[in-house]
Amino acid sequence: MKPETKTTSFDLAFYDRMAAVLNAWKHLGEIPLDKIPPHGMMEEITRLLYLESRLIDQRRLREWLDLFAADGAYWIPADVDYRDPRRTIAWEFNDRRRLEERVERLETGQAYSQIPPTRTVHLLSNIEGMLADDGLLHVLCNFHIPAQRGQDHQARSGWCGYIFRKENKHWKIVLKRVNLFDADQPQSNLSFTL
Amino acid sequence: MTTYSDHLPSLDHQPYQHLFKPGFVHRRLYIDEDIFQQELLYLYGRTWLYIAHESEIANPNDFITRRVGGRPLIISRHATGSIHAFFNRCTHRGAIVCREPRGNTKGFICGYHAWTFNITGECTSVPLRQGYGKSFNLAQASLQPVARLESYRGFIFASYSKDVPSLTEHLGAAARLIDQWLDRGEKEPVVVQNGAMPFLVNANWKTIYDNAGDGYHPPFSHESMLKVFSNRYGDVDMNYYGSDFDKSPMYSKNLGNGHTFLDQRPEMHKLSAWKRQHVMPGYEVMENALIEKYGEAHALPMLDASTGSGMNLNIFPNLLIIGNQIQMPEPLAANKTLLTWFATSREGVPEEINAIRMRMQEDFPSFGEVDDSANFEACQEGMASIPEMAWIDIRRHQDTKVGALDPADQLWREPMSSDLHMRTYWQRWQELMNAGATRALVEAGVA
């Protein structure tokens, strides 16, 4: 028996929305003046991004999950060409349910790719916001994540595209798209959280 | 029927014999850089290799570049539809000619001195040609094609040596299983245009190859994944590894020529593959949408055909067909391998089906392959660092005498957890490596 799902997304309409978002991000130049969020809003979001970094770096993944909306998605493409996800595989493209499964897996104590766990330091910069329809807020930022596991030291870099929605006075992540700058190139252990 | 042994010199040179004993192989086979270099020559240089799928170069003048068995290749399609494969190395000074991963072009121009080649690799011009004198022959400056090139139902194979049997003979019993993998559902064509996950693994290519036919490890290496799925969804796919799965109808089979097969279909596709498939993003909404559009009687067979194939078909040495994916292990060094998982879709199915196929093909790589890779790297570290412990154990079900010929096809099969796969391909490995080493002696005039 499969339990009733809380996740309603990932139908064809969802993919259409994703296509529109990708198109907007791909061609984004200067953010139009009337789309620039008020200063206070960007301050709130920046604090939230830093909180997210801290939770991931400390591997407090249950608290991290709480930052996502019930219909939130976490996406690490395996291409750098903004390809249509209906026909393109990603390193990860998780709805809320699969994101929870991912965290549960790491909690079993038998996820050998994370024994010992990868240590990370999330560094964020170039944080920009853009007001979107339906009260959504798009946020773009660059990241650099030094990572270490055993003898393996390397950094992951790229940019993140977020979509936030305000629910009961709290911003929730509707989408986190982690765009590794070398997403289409060979990747070693990616079982930690980006 | 010609066999590989027809192509061998009669000299019985066995330089690797001391690295094998019944049920064990020596660690040097996994860590020795000299043996690795010999593998590139004697093994990858002298057998059929999978190089690409025809759908990767679907249109006239399409090309891809890729390293296979260490050699950089250009694989292209001419306007007439013919497929070509040649070394991506300028005949002039040795430069890599094409430096793009894929594209569509009429030809290639070397960036160094602008020697120019058409889509089939023929040299079409050389700047200031008169400087080479009257004897210069443009045809002799063409990019060097692979020695043999054949396709089987969309899978393109090449050999860098002429002295191999036909591809059909090489594939042998594996061909029928490729058919079964392709001919699911309404037999819509399988397409390999859906991106790939290239995993860089710090382990020997054979450590990865070992695992491709290792039906013993799933409940242990993948315990974290199986726990999450069975806790959440009950008796879904791979839950059948929870008990003594050697008693299950799943099996491991020797297909000949080093090829092997693990068949999970008797469990995975029991009753309904789709109903036993654990969920992925879109599982319910896409199922509902398809039932609404096509009715349950039509939609369920479509969904059944969309799930993982339940097959692990291992075609030695570099084609691993697993679930709905095609894997190519590419040797980079004795302790480094690029394992690329190519995603597949099916042409002409409803787009809901391909969308759930994409999300499904993300499951195992991020929930299972990551742990496999960690174990491969742990094997490499242990093998490489402790000279006091030399041997790797491949004994499982060697002495239980439960193997038997399958009456259906007269192929040898053993229980799921057997090391039959390793014993099978290591035998092939020895045949190819001994023959290659012998030939090298003959060619050097030593023997």
Side-chain angles (χ1 to χ4, degrees), chain A residues 2 12 15 83 85 87-91 95 97-98 100-101 104-105 108 110 112-113 186-187, chain B residues 193-194 197-198 200 223-224 227 232-233 275 277 280-281 283-284 352 358-359 362-363 370-371:
Chain A
K2 285 160 184 147
L12 290 181
Y15 286 111
R83 289 180 55 161
R87 291 187 292 275
T88 309
I89 195 139
W91 288 107
D95 57 2
R97 179 174 57 192
R98 192 151 80 178
E100 288 172 9
E101 291 171 2
E104 283 167 22
R105 193 185 83 79
T108 60
Q110 281 131 352
Y112 298 106
S113 51
Q187 299 288 333
Chain B
Q193 296 174 343
N194 307 96
M197 299 181 190
L200 185 66
E223 191 168 0
S224 62
K227 255 189 195 167
R232 276 183 169 250
Y233 310 114
K275 292 294 180 192
Q277 169 72 47
M280 81 292 294
Y283 183 96
E284 296 86 349
E352 289 92 341
M358 290 307 119
R359 301 294 79 79
E362 287 154 1
D363 240 350
V370 287
D371 293 332

Side-chain angles (χ1 to χ4, degrees), chain B residues 113 115 124-138:
Chain B
H113 300 90
W115 284 32
T124 52
S125 78
V126 166
L128 309 176
R129 188 175 154 184
Q130 59 278 15
Y132 285 105
K134 286 205 174 80
S135 65
F136 185 78
N137 183 347
L138 214 53

Side-chain angles (χ1 to χ4, degrees), chain B residues 408-421:
Chain B
D409 52 18
Q410 296 302 306
L411 294 169
W412 189 260
R413 58 184 265 183
E414 293 187 6
M416 193 58 171
S417 78
S418 174
D419 286 334
L420 175 64
H421 161 78

Side-chain angles (χ1 to χ4, degrees), chain A residues 1-5 7-12 15 75 78-79 81 83-102 104-106 108-114 149 151-152 183-191, chain B residues 102 193-200 202 220-221 223-225 227-229 232-234 236 274-286 293 325 338 343 351-352 354-355 358-363 366-368 370-371 374-375 377 381:
Chain A
M1 270 306 291
K2 285 160 184 147
E4 279 301 302
T5 174
T7 304
T8 54
S9 55
F10 284 78
D11 55 4
L12 290 181
Y15 286 111
W75 186 5
D79 67 278
D81 308 315
R83 289 180 55 161
D84 183 348
R86 259 173 291 220
R87 291 187 292 275
T88 309
I89 195 139
W91 288 107
E92 295 194 36
F93 198 173
N94 300 331
D95 57 2
R96 170 74 193 226
R97 179 174 57 192
R98 192 151 80 178
L99 201 51
E100 288 172 9
E101 291 171 2
R102 188 185 193 283
E104 283 167 22
R105 193 185 83 79
L106 295 174
T108 60
Q110 281 131 352
Y112 298 106
S113 51
Q114 282 300 297
R149 180 178 178 269
Q151 289 161 15
D152 185 32
D184 58 342
Q185 297 298 310
Q187 299 288 333
S188 56
N189 194 331
L190 266 189
S191 56
Chain B
R102 66 188 69 82
Q193 296 174 343
N194 307 96
M197 299 181 190
F199 285 91
L200 185 66
N202 293 308
F220 315 112
S221 291
E223 191 168 0
S224 62
M225 178 179 79
K227 255 189 195 167
V228 171
F229 291 156
R232 276 183 169 250
Y233 310 114
V236 289
W274 175 251
K275 292 294 180 192
R276 213 171 191 189
Q277 169 72 47
H278 66 266
V279 299
M280 81 292 294
Y283 183 96
E284 296 86 349
V285 288
M286 294 303 204
K293 266 194 214 172
Q325 281 116 310
L338 173 60
E351 62 180 338
E352 289 92 341
N354 279 332
M358 290 307 119
R359 301 294 79 79
M360 205 183 313
Q361 290 174 81
E362 287 154 1
D363 240 350
S366 70
F367 280 69
V370 287
D371 293 332
N375 284 325
E377 293 179 351
E381 188 181 343

